[in-house]
Amino acid sequence: MKEILRGADFAAGNLEGTLLDEEGELKECNDPELCYAFRIPTRYAGLLTDAGIDFVGIANNHINDFGAPGIESTRRALKENGLLYAGLRDGCRTAIAEKDRRKVGFAAFGHSKGTPSIMNLEEVRSTVRKLAKECDFVVVSFHGGAEGAQYTHVPHAMEICFNEKRGNVEAFAHAAIDAGADVVYGHGPHVTRAMELYKGRLVIYSLGNFCTPFRVNLQGVNGHAPVVTVTLNPDGSFGGGRIYPFIQQFGKGPQPDATGAVIKQIQTLTSADFPSTPLKIASDGRLSR
């Protein structure tokens, strides 16, 4: 994937876990049999930089897995490796990057403690409006929606999973774009979902997983790992893009998928969930309107 990621002006994703070498303060789990706590060696932050990643959202339910020590270690490791990040209420709600005298603002929202909430739409609007005033383009990341292969469709309503509200992702995405966002992308369901063009701006309702080669179900749609590129017009509107199909294999992470299975999946979901969207998805993954 390095050629694709490095070829982008800015490459963004979601960091699902903490960068921590010590034990930290392990979270309490109601059911230890169903509990996941993600701790990543801090040296791996350099691998993200090497791969071409510029920004990661940390507004997800695993940034708190090892308490305050995990959060602080994560922030330190990302900063030391030149990675931008956003997604905490205190200290890093947003981030701004600059290239060729153009500024790109990033914001990240979630449904967990300490993260800007996808359910507080006024906060979403306020945050995005502020970024839009300071930047030429605004990109918004969100961790929301129910998890699992049975939740590939956007329900157009509040989602609840594990007895927890996970947001109305459509209402969230539309609020963000109404406030000035140019691209909105999600990842909470851990499977891919539909795409939509809303007021000329692209919404990717879930990119699924990306590089989770161990201890995660990779069967069927759970293994889809697309990379999506987006080109923006000078005014921030959608100018085109492409879905690059990858699929995960146990122990190997994402591998090129000649069958293009994830493209077909996103085509089907988009037609079903947003039949009126002007977005066109070609069989080779090219996005147009």
Side-chain angles (χ1 to χ4, degrees), residues 265-280:
Q265 172 76 349
I266 295 174
Q267 284 176 321
T268 299
L269 293 170
T270 299
S271 295
D273 295 350
F274 298 96
S276 299
T277 183
L279 180 68
K280 293 180 174 62

Side-chain angles (χ1 to χ4, degrees), residues 3-288:
E3 183 178 353
I4 301 170
L5 297 175
R6 285 183 168 181
D9 289 324
F10 298 98
N14 170 56
L15 180 65
E16 188 86 356
T18 60
L19 291 159
L20 178 68
D21 297 321
E22 307 298 330
E23 291 185 3
E25 299 169 358
L26 183 62
K27 66 181 179 183
E28 293 184 6
C29 300
N30 294 328
D31 184 352
E33 294 298 319
L34 297 174
C35 184
Y36 285 83
F38 297 144
R39 183 174 60 192
I40 308 161
T42 57
R43 68 181 185 277
Y44 281 23
L47 301 178
L48 297 176
T49 304
D50 181 63
I53 300 291
D54 300 294
F55 166 85
V56 290
I58 57 175
N60 56 66
N61 48 312
H62 289 286
I63 189 61
N64 297 306
D65 281 358
F66 290 88
I71 293 172
E72 290 308 311
S73 177
T74 299
R75 295 180 64 177
R76 183 167 56 251
L78 292 173
K79 185 176 181 179
E80 288 174 352
N81 285 276
L83 285 153
L84 294 171
Y85 60 92
L88 295 177
R89 281 186 174 280
D90 298 327
C92 62
R93 287 173 179 255
T94 61
I96 296 177
E98 187 169 358
K99 183 175 182 178
D100 299 330
R101 292 186 293 181
R102 293 287 186 94
K103 289 185 178 180
V104 179
F106 295 93
F109 299 84
H111 54 77
S112 301
K113 175 184 176 182
T115 67
S117 175
I118 65 171
M119 287 169 280
N120 186 338
L121 297 187
E122 189 47 52
E123 180 181 39
V124 172
R125 295 184 187 99
S126 174
T127 300
V128 174
R129 282 194 200 104
K130 185 174 185 297
L131 266 183
K133 288 179 181 178
E134 299 177 38
C135 301
D136 299 286
F137 308 104
V138 175
V139 178
V140 172
S141 164
F142 73 89
H143 204 70
E147 296 183 29
Q150 69 271 41
Y151 297 112
T152 55
H153 288 281
V154 177
H156 313 291
M158 175 65 69
E159 297 185 63
I160 298 175
C161 186
F162 302 125
N163 297 316
E164 178 184 40
K165 289 184 177 181
R166 298 289 183 92
N168 180 328
V169 296
E170 182 181 19
F172 163 82
H174 289 186
I177 290 173
D178 288 341
D182 299 304
V183 179
V184 177
Y185 71 94
H187 30 74
H190 299 289
V191 288
T192 52
R193 283 186 166 184
M195 296 183 178
E196 177 194 22
L197 274 183
Y198 173 73
K199 294 186 176 180
R201 268 64 179 173
L202 184 66
V203 181
I204 306 169
Y205 280 99
S206 179
L207 283 163
N209 289 331
F210 176 64
C211 187
T212 55
F214 297 101
R215 295 204 62 202
V216 173
N217 180 8
L218 300 179
Q219 299 299 310
V221 297
N222 297 288
H224 291 174
V227 173
V228 177
T229 58
V230 184
T231 300
L232 299 181
N233 294 319
D235 66 351
S237 61
F238 174 74
R242 188 166 187 174
I243 303 169
Y244 290 87
F246 289 84
I247 196 161
Q248 294 199 74
Q249 299 173 7
F250 180 80
K252 294 183 179 180
Q255 305 292 313
D257 179 23
T259 72
V262 71
I263 298 173
K264 298 170 188 174
Q265 172 76 349
I266 295 174
Q267 284 176 321
T268 299
L269 293 170
T270 299
S271 295
D273 295 350
F274 298 96
S276 299
T277 183
L279 180 68
K280 293 180 174 62
I281 305 173
S283 59
D284 66 355
R286 293 186 188 275
L287 305 174
S288 61

